[in-house]
Amino acid sequence: MKILVCVKRVPLPGARINVTDDGLEVDAAHLGFTTSPHEECAVEEAIRQKERHGGEVTVLTLGPSEAEEQLRYAASVGADHAVLVETDGAPWDPQRTAAALADVIRELEGGDPFDLVLFGNESADSGGFQVGIRVAVALGRPTVQGVKGIEVSGGVVTVRRAIDAGFEVYELPRPCVLGVREGLNLPRYPTMKGRLASKKLEIRALTTDVDPGGQTRVRLHRPVEAVSETVILGEGPDAAAAVVDVFAELGVL
Amino acid sequence: MLLVVLDHDRGELDESTREALTFGRVLAAKMGAPMEAALVGSDDGDLVAAAAEHGAATVHTCVHEILVDYGPDAHGSVVAQMVEALDPAAVLAGGSDRGNEVMAHAAARLDTALATNCLDVAPGDPWSMTRLQWGGSLLEDCTLEGDVALLTCAVHALAAAPAGGRRAEIRPFTAALNETHAVTMVRDRIVGEAGVTLSTANVVCGGGRGVGSEEGFAPLEELAALLGGRVGCSRAVTNLGWRPHSDQVGQTGTRIAPEIYIASGISGAVQHWVGAMASKHILAINTDREANMVAKADWAVIADLHEVIPAIIEEVRHRRG
Ligand SMILES: Cc1cc2nc3c(=O)[nH]c(=O)nc-3n(C[C@H](O)[C@H](O)[C@H](O)COP(=O)(O)OP(=O)(O)OC[C@H]3O[C@@H](n4cnc5c(N)ncnc54)[C@H](O)[C@@H]3O)c2cc1C
Ligand SMILES: Nc1ncnc2c1ncn2[C@@H]1O[C@H](COP(=O)(O)O)[C@@H](O)[C@H]1O
């Protein structure tokens, strides 16, 4: 099976998210970077499917040259090939991102489609909930989002999608496109051997020429939050009485 | 005209629909245009009534054998065809999983921009809106250009409020659908466990990396059981394999809204906080007074959770006699 996973490099903020002076981006000067948990699960799933059915896993990202870091991470846990579509660094809107990814996927496939193309359900930062669907429609392939279970048997891909009351089951033909959610699996950590191998991974650079879409960022800002005064109930087990007073006051005792 | 897409499951109204209709009514007033509704599939009776109640005078309904159960492709295609035939100035759905999914399918087919999870929308040329990023930890002001503004409103962006409308005219809509639209369809359903879930629990006892081990959760389980609540956890805990992902609170986990969230050994990263912020009250137990969770809490105990939680359990038992 040939599997492609689309991942996006995003900053990893801690207790608060700061914004650059021009308001256009998250101030990542002192932050590390990661991929969304959903996409980490997509990478893990691709590797598990490869282990089960044989084949190859390719990871693809569109972003600044530093996004190589996320591709190497995917390789360190078992991805075979990596492709970077380099941007000038400015964020791309979902329509443009999807058009570029669809172009690149067509080029990588050269008429021989990936059996599965995996996306995260939504990106961690901009959360547009649409790039995977737009790519699927552009490629003319069936797609389901919110996927928390994938089973491939012959030409049929059975997926489970989480809903409030349990799961919905879909059966898709191959090739198809899936948007997955964290909880699909528990991603493995890289091994030392994997880390070393990923350093040598050759990253294929591709470019595309697509126009911006209709959504344009004006500025990012933090929501207004109520400032709370924290009442310290104590500094040891003696605080238990005060805690249970709170329970009684709230009517949960 | 503003077209509001009604989210439902086999005719049964989704909670987000009334919110979307309320959001739509406010938006339609700003547009100085009427609000109409789109119903893809059949109605169990409540959908048209809800649309009318919230001020939609017209409901465009599309009934077809392919639309008996949910299929993102079919539903998105019908919405796209309605846009082409009815020429609305904007289309709005609720920011539920299905709402976002159907609108993304419609947007892809129309090759038009879509702004998801909006908190506030202003019509204009271009349209402008404020939408959620990072699951709500950050907001984005943006503009939208296109022949039609495609939008979803964030869940709980505002409270549903009926407008007292009584009747809506039903206008049947005929869509071109074929077997390819039926490829992606719900084939089966697996019903989950009934009862109190993390998202509906009145008390949540959350544990983070500070709990230290899988076994360390036993006292949290005990406290949760005593208070009729559920155990929650941070992603650090899920990643360590101490708890299943279904216990995870946060951006990529569950959103909770209990009367009290007891967060022990959790630092309070933004991605955890967005899942916990709807809690009515928060008690943090942490050895670090500077932890974000402590700063955000109503009450805190600055101590080792392994000592405090057993003491709380004992105190609860003692008071109950
Ligand atoms: C896109 C994205 C999505 C994410 N989604 C989620 C999500 O849905 N949910 C989520 O939780 N995280 C999420 N994360 C991860 C998040 O950024 C943090 O890494 C995570 O929440 C940290 O978990 P923690 O607080 O348990 O661990 P830590 O940050 O390590 O904090 C441990 C805390 O325990 C305290 N402590 C230690 N020992 C004790 C003791 N004996 N008694 C009392 N206190 C003690 C410490 O002082 C510290 O405050 C996401 C990250 C990204 C990038
Ligand atoms: N720049 C990008 N590069 C690669 N994949 C992306 C990019 N942006 C979004 N995606 C993929 O599309 C999914 C949905 O993104 P979004 O529509 O932004 O929520 C993400 O989870 C990723 O899998």
Side-chain angles (χ1 to χ4, degrees), chain A residues 6-8 39 60-63 97 101 119-123 126-132:
Chain A
C6 294
V7 302
K8 181 180 186 185
E39 291 148 36
L60 165 62
T61 193
L62 180 144
T97 303
L101 292 177
F119 285 85
N121 192 70
E122 80 273 3
S123 52
S126 52
F129 289 80
Q130 54 186 275
V131 166

Side-chain angles (χ1 to χ4, degrees), chain A residues 141-157:
Chain A
R141 293 181 200 165
T143 184
V144 175
Q145 316 308 304
V147 170
K148 283 212 175 168
I150 302 175
E151 217 159 298
V152 181
S153 172
V156 182
V157 183

Side-chain angles (χ1 to χ4, degrees), chain A residues 10-19 25-26 34-38 40 94-95 121-131 133-138 141-146 148 160-173 181-187 189 213-226 228-253, chain B residues 9 14-15 70-73 97-98 100-102 104-105 107-109 111-117 129-146 183-193 197 199 202-203 223 226-227 235-236 238-241 245 248 251-253 259-260 262 267-271 273 277 281 283 285 289 292-304 307-308 311-312 315-316 319-320:
Chain A
V10 298
L12 181 48
R16 64 190 284 165
I17 303 182
N18 294 312
V19 173
E25 277 168 84
V26 169
T34 185
T35 54
S36 159
H38 298 320
E40 274 182 23
Q95 254 178 309
N121 192 70
E122 80 273 3
S123 52
D125 54 351
S126 52
F129 289 80
Q130 54 186 275
V131 166
I133 294 170
R134 287 185 187 273
V135 170
V137 171
R141 293 181 200 165
T143 184
V144 175
Q145 316 308 304
K148 283 212 175 168
R160 292 208 298 174
R161 161 195 175 110
I163 51 169
D164 273 352
F167 292 97
E168 287 171 354
V169 182
Y170 293 79
E171 287 165 3
L172 309 184
R181 278 225 156 105
E182 189 181 32
L184 169 65
N185 53 42
L186 186 57
Y189 291 99
Q215 188 180 331
T216 310
R217 180 173 300 169
V218 177
R219 80 183 176 114
L220 298 173
H221 52 104
R222 267 201 310 267
V224 197
E225 271 184 33
S228 74
E229 258 324 293
T230 310
V231 177
I232 307 287
L233 298 176
E235 309 210 332
D238 301 349
V243 168
V244 179
D245 287 346
V246 165
F247 293 169
E249 191 189 315
L250 299 181
V252 300
L253 187 59
Chain B
D9 186 50
D14 186 83
E15 247 183 276
Y70 177 69
D73 187 354
D97 287 345
R98 281 189 180 181
N100 281 332
E101 185 177 42
V102 168
H105 271 274
R109 281 163 181 77
D111 194 17
T112 303
L114 160 67
T116 49
N117 301 320
M129 59 275 313
T130 300
R131 54 178 299 276
L132 305 185
Q133 291 212 349
W134 288 98
S137 306
L138 194 64
L139 304 179
E140 175 187 35
D141 294 343
C142 61
T143 58
L144 207 62
E145 272 163 290
V183 170
T184 321
M185 275 284 142
V186 180
R187 297 283 169 226
D188 196 7
R189 285 181 166 76
I190 301 166
V191 180
E193 52 179 308
T197 62
S199 59
N202 199 38
V203 176
L223 182 59
L226 272 176
L227 302 175
R235 179 165 182 254
T238 322
N239 273 355
L240 286 159
H245 182 267
Q248 183 177 313
Q251 184 179 340
T252 52
E259 184 62 30
I260 183 165
I262 306 163
S267 63
V270 277
Q271 303 90 355
W273 175 250
M277 66 187 184
H281 301 92
L283 166 70
I285 303 176
R289 187 184 287 265
N292 195 44
M293 205 70 215
V294 171
K296 294 252 168 82
D298 300 284
W299 304 280
V301 179
I302 309 301
D304 185 344
E307 292 173 11
V308 181
I312 295 172
E315 181 69 18
V316 170
R319 292 226 198 156
R320 284 182 179 168

Side-chain angles (χ1 to χ4, degrees), chain A residues 50-115:
Chain A
K50 174 182 88 168
E51 287 166 350
R52 205 166 304 152
H53 302 284
E56 290 189 333
V57 174
T58 305
V59 277
L60 165 62
T61 193
L62 180 144
S65 59
E66 292 85 358
E68 202 182 277
E69 186 192 341
Q70 280 58 50
L71 296 176
R72 291 201 192 277
Y73 185 85
S76 75
V77 291
D80 305 285
H81 308 291
V83 182
L84 173 69
V85 183
E86 200 175 323
T87 61
D88 46 10
W92 282 24
D93 67 83
Q95 254 178 309
R96 188 182 190 190
T97 303
L101 292 177
D103 271 0
V104 167
I105 293 170
R106 278 192 208 98
E107 182 174 344
L108 291 172
E109 292 182 335
D112 178 19
F114 289 102
D115 296 279

Side-chain angles (χ1 to χ4, degrees), chain B residues 37-117:
Chain B
L39 170 55
V40 183
S42 349
D43 186 7
D44 73 352
D46 288 347
L47 284 157
V48 171
E53 213 176 29
H54 288 80
T58 306
V59 182
H60 303 273
T61 59
C62 183
V63 183
H64 190 282
E65 58 184 9
I66 285 177
L67 301 172
V68 171
D69 208 336
Y70 177 69
D73 187 354
H75 281 238
S77 297
V78 173
V79 172
Q81 290 178 39
M82 283 186 175
V83 169
E84 273 158 355
L86 306 172
D87 195 24
V91 185
L92 172 77
S96 58
D97 287 345
R98 281 189 180 181
N100 281 332
E101 185 177 42
V102 168
M103 290 300 286
H105 271 274
R109 281 163 181 77
L110 296 163
D111 194 17
T112 303
L114 160 67
T116 49
N117 301 320

